[in-house]
Amino acid sequence: MPPVPPRPDPPAGESPAGAAPQQPRRGERVVRLRPEQTDEGYKSVYSELTRPTIGSRIRTGIRGIGEVMITFGVVVLLFAAYEVWGTTAVIGSHQDTLDQQLDQQWDQPDPTVGPTPSASPNPLAGNAIARLYIPKLDKQWVVVEGVTQKDIRYAPGHYPSSAGPGKVGNFAVAGHRNRATFWRLDELDTGDAIVVETKTDWFVYKVVRTRIVKPTQVEVVAPVPGQPGVKPSQAMVTLTTCNPKFDNYQRLIVHGQLARKQARSAGQPVELG
């Protein structure tokens, strides 16, 4: 059988017989390929190889950057969701544990009562010392001793150098500005109640002032708020947190003054419903 003669190239710009003309896509350049001869004849007549241009490469790069940014945005949204709901769940779990610890602690005999009373030691950092209620926000927390990041990770913390609950001076408490803690502290108005529960008593404070200060203005937790060195004559409470939300270049401060004291054995104050 005589060899199959090579098929001549069609004129430039024409499509081979039986082949539909192919239009190059935007941003691509068409390069013609020669036919391939095999033992069975011509395997293909003409093919088109497309090669990207500089413009198409730029568009591909922009598209890739866009996909990366979308992925990054999804990751940020997932992280934000965890900060809102995940952190709230974690703090709630730790608050339940602290609540149980506080009940167990209050069930123990008072070391200052008995035939041989002993001095009550200062609470250790991170230990539960009281419960804090804000009826307007329908919120309550166990308060721990200390205000380091470790101390207040899961609970509001008492400034160790400030007065105790109900004592003359300033019972100062710091808390993070997250949805599980002092997120809505800015909603408090003058006259709103802040209630503190100890082993023996309830202390009902009334908000007298809210303000925003710089982080360096530590005089807000002085025995007389804003007047360091002055001897106190009233029992106060001060709540501090970051401001604005999602940032910490300011501090939101809420001051309250003791309105009344009630024995814990008499039941909950009317402010708690």
Side-chain angles (χ1 to χ4, degrees):
M1 181 176 182
V4 178
R7 184 168 180 173
D9 294 344
E14 295 185 6
S15 299
Q22 299 184 13
Q23 296 297 325
R25 290 176 295 180
R26 181 181 178 183
E28 296 179 336
R29 178 166 56 91
V30 177
V31 179
R32 301 285 185 182
L33 298 180
R34 291 182 179 279
E36 179 182 352
Q37 183 179 359
T38 67
D39 292 340
E40 300 176 356
Y42 288 97
K43 186 176 181 181
S44 62
V45 181
Y46 266 85
S47 300
E48 289 184 343
L49 173 66
T50 58
R51 294 177 179 172
T53 63
I54 294 177
S56 67
R57 286 192 176 99
I58 293 174
R59 283 189 290 273
T60 300
I62 294 174
R63 187 160 48 247
I65 293 173
E67 292 173 354
V68 171
M69 294 301 292
I70 291 173
T71 302
F72 178 75
V74 171
V75 172
V76 170
L77 287 175
L78 290 174
F79 177 75
Y82 170 77
E83 284 294 301
V84 173
W85 291 287
T87 301
T88 299
V90 171
I91 292 176
S93 176
H94 281 268
Q95 278 285 309
D96 290 341
T97 301
L98 288 169
D99 200 61
Q100 295 173 8
Q101 292 176 355
L102 193 61
D103 282 336
Q104 293 173 1
Q105 176 184 321
W106 286 352
D107 286 340
Q108 299 299 317
D110 191 339
T112 63
V113 177
T116 56
S118 58
S120 179
N122 292 327
L124 298 176
N127 280 11
I129 64 168
R131 290 191 181 97
L132 173 68
Y133 302 78
I134 301 183
K136 181 178 182 178
L137 307 181
D138 193 24
K139 290 289 187 178
Q140 71 176 72
W141 307 270
V142 174
V143 178
V144 299
E145 183 72 6
V147 291
T148 67
Q149 289 298 316
K150 180 181 178 180
D151 297 331
I152 65 174
R153 186 176 181 182
Y154 305 117
H158 169 239
Y159 285 82
S161 60
S162 70
K167 303 295 183 183
V168 172
N170 189 10
F171 176 58
V173 177
H176 283 305
R177 194 76 180 271
N178 55 45
R179 291 187 181 271
T181 317
F182 285 169
W183 181 258
R184 298 170 57 200
L185 203 63
D186 58 312
E187 297 179 24
L188 292 182
D189 297 315
T190 300
D192 288 336
I194 298 173
V195 182
V196 178
E197 179 188 11
T198 66
K199 181 177 181 178
T200 58
D201 298 293
W202 297 94
F203 299 99
V204 179
Y205 299 85
K206 297 293 185 177
V207 174
V208 294
R209 184 182 183 187
T210 62
R211 53 177 169 162
I212 295 172
V213 301
K214 297 178 181 178
T216 54
Q217 293 179 254
V218 295
E219 64 272 14
V220 295
V221 296
V224 178
Q227 301 181 48
V230 176
K231 186 177 180 180
S233 59
Q234 296 178 326
M236 303 285 293
V237 65
T238 295
L239 307 181
T240 72
T241 192
C242 295
N243 192 74
K245 294 174 179 176
F246 302 112
D247 217 323
N248 62 354
Y249 61 86
Q250 296 173 331
R251 295 292 182 269
L252 172 63
I253 310 298
V254 177
H255 297 299
Q257 184 175 327
L258 183 64
R260 62 189 181 86
K261 170 184 175 181
Q262 176 179 317
R264 191 162 174 258
S265 58
Q268 288 189 343
V270 294
E271 287 79 4
L272 298 183

